[in-house]
Amino acid sequence: MSDESEASLDRMVTALVPSLSRSLAEQFNVFRVMHHGTHERQLSNVFAWLLRADATHGLGDTFQRIFVRQVSAQVAPGMALPATGYRVTQEVNTSGPDDLSADIADIVLTGENAVLVVENFESSDGHGHCYERYLRFGQAGGTALSVVVLLCHRHEPSRQRDGWENAVVLTYSELLGELQRHLAADARWQRAHPEPHFFISQLIDHFVEGAAAVNIDDQISFISTMCATGESARYGHQRHDVAGEEFANLVAQHARRQFEEARGTLGRVKRALKDHADRILVAQLNAGLAAGPVTSVKTPYKGQWQWCVALYRADAAHLFIEFGPTAVVENTRVPQPLAAPDYSRLFVTRRAEGGGIDLISQTDVGLYEVLAGLPSTDVRLRDALIEAASRSTTSERS
């Protein structure tokens, strides 16, 4: 792909994010609320539950039959897998006695004369596991049939290497789509098992149907973006399902790359900001603060709080320079949040003595400027921090 095409796709993904994120945010789904499925073990637990014939879903071996039927459709014609009767286990060590390290399969289905070794991941990627080891594990003990299965959200053949190109690939949408059709025709089960029915419906909604557009404005915005970025020709493809799948995979790849690169940018801003604070800002502040000099500069936080440089003071409220995701979180917690923050800029916050953050203010300093390097003559951060240090507390104002 040319550099021009790459840039066009990047612009398209960036332009689509607002409408796509609104679609996702506006609809209730228990999996989205809990952020369930963001880790492969979480989803492995759900699929293992569906595969167990004696589990609390009340479906018996229905899903196990669906799973094996879809596997059978991809193996050699003479490889007759038993339709059901498998014992389901999780987190199974597939390593042999001579292996130096463990290699853990997510799910294993063990039948009388067949073993299905399943690796569950976001895409069809062995991601460091050994295909041959999985295959040998299934053949151990004289098992007649051994099949290695990649269970995934997206089928991306280009990611299948080192033997994994020989694995059977099943997608969540294929499996859950067939289960959805089965359940739609089984009104008796729906009435008898309302709780599992709700849970499985939410699972199907999240991984098969996905988020619907919130309103016609977002749909028109999507169409406009497709036209403006040169992607509108996809609407002319006769195989709509294939065109949609190819487009979704392409967007996913670019969105993942943008996400990863943006996280790297956040890290560079943090390092540059701490370096500026150590070399220049502390001296500027201590020359201008009436009391409570800054004694140390640290970046001690993790998770959603990590995009922050802390300025610890002696006998005074500590000050913080925050940006990006951390500024978003802090703006939801302060007594007087900013109405229309610009998250391309730095923010200053203050921790009240014995409490949490009690104020936030937006500075004129942009993230790009931090990356380019703030000169020693730039006093905008100094002024914003001194102003925050001198402001009265919420309790004093009231």
Side-chain angles (χ1 to χ4, degrees), residues 276-344:
H276 175 73
D278 284 329
R279 293 187 303 104
I280 299 170
L281 185 58
V282 169
Q284 289 180 338
L285 284 171
N286 288 344
L289 287 168
V294 174
T295 57
S296 64
V297 178
K298 296 184 178 180
T299 54
Y301 304 112
K302 296 182 180 180
Q304 62 183 348
W305 312 107
Q306 67 182 304
W307 314 114
C308 164
V309 173
L311 305 171
Y312 293 124
R313 302 169 66 200
D315 303 320
H318 299 317
L319 300 171
F320 304 87
I321 308 170
E322 298 175 335
F323 57 96
T326 301
V328 174
V329 175
E330 296 292 30
N331 196 46
T332 65
R333 301 171 74 235
V334 294
Q336 295 181 331
L338 302 171
D342 177 358
Y343 291 111
S344 69

Side-chain angles (χ1 to χ4, degrees), residues 37-100:
T38 57
H39 189 281
E40 63 183 82
R41 184 175 295 182
Q42 295 175 336
L43 272 178
S44 294
N45 290 339
V46 175
F47 280 106
W49 173 71
L50 286 170
L51 285 165
R52 291 189 177 99
D54 59 350
T56 55
H57 46 63
L59 288 167
D61 64 359
T62 296
F63 190 72
Q64 191 174 114
R65 288 179 179 275
I66 290 172
F67 188 93
V68 175
R69 182 162 54 247
Q70 293 197 10
V71 171
S72 297
Q74 297 187 45
V75 298
M79 199 174 188
L81 297 171
T84 188
Y86 294 86
R87 178 171 58 90
V88 180
T89 51
Q90 291 179 257
E91 296 294 304
V92 178
N93 186 0
T94 64
S95 303
D98 299 327
D99 292 317
L100 299 178

Side-chain angles (χ1 to χ4, degrees), residues 204-345:
I204 290 168
D205 171 72
H206 188 54
F207 289 106
V208 178
E209 297 177 352
V214 174
N215 54 44
I216 192 66
D217 291 336
D218 282 336
Q219 294 177 32
I220 292 173
S221 175
F222 186 96
I223 294 169
S224 176
T225 300
M226 293 287 283
C227 293
T229 56
E231 296 294 327
S232 58
R234 296 180 187 274
Y235 283 112
H237 294 182
Q238 293 303 307
R239 286 292 306 276
H240 298 165
D241 55 341
V242 173
E245 185 70 21
E246 289 178 349
F247 175 70
N249 288 336
L250 192 61
V251 170
Q253 292 172 19
H254 280 261
R256 185 188 305 112
R257 192 192 69 189
Q258 285 196 25
F259 181 84
E260 292 170 352
E261 291 183 355
R263 184 179 179 86
T265 297
L266 287 169
R268 290 193 296 275
V269 169
K270 182 177 178 178
R271 290 190 294 272
L273 193 56
K274 185 179 184 303
D275 179 65
H276 175 73
D278 284 329
R279 293 187 303 104
I280 299 170
L281 185 58
V282 169
Q284 289 180 338
L285 284 171
N286 288 344
L289 287 168
V294 174
T295 57
S296 64
V297 178
K298 296 184 178 180
T299 54
Y301 304 112
K302 296 182 180 180
Q304 62 183 348
W305 312 107
Q306 67 182 304
W307 314 114
C308 164
V309 173
L311 305 171
Y312 293 124
R313 302 169 66 200
D315 303 320
H318 299 317
L319 300 171
F320 304 87
I321 308 170
E322 298 175 335
F323 57 96
T326 301
V328 174
V329 175
E330 296 292 30
N331 196 46
T332 65
R333 301 171 74 235
V334 294
Q336 295 181 331
L338 302 171
D342 177 358
Y343 291 111
S344 69
R345 300 186 182 278

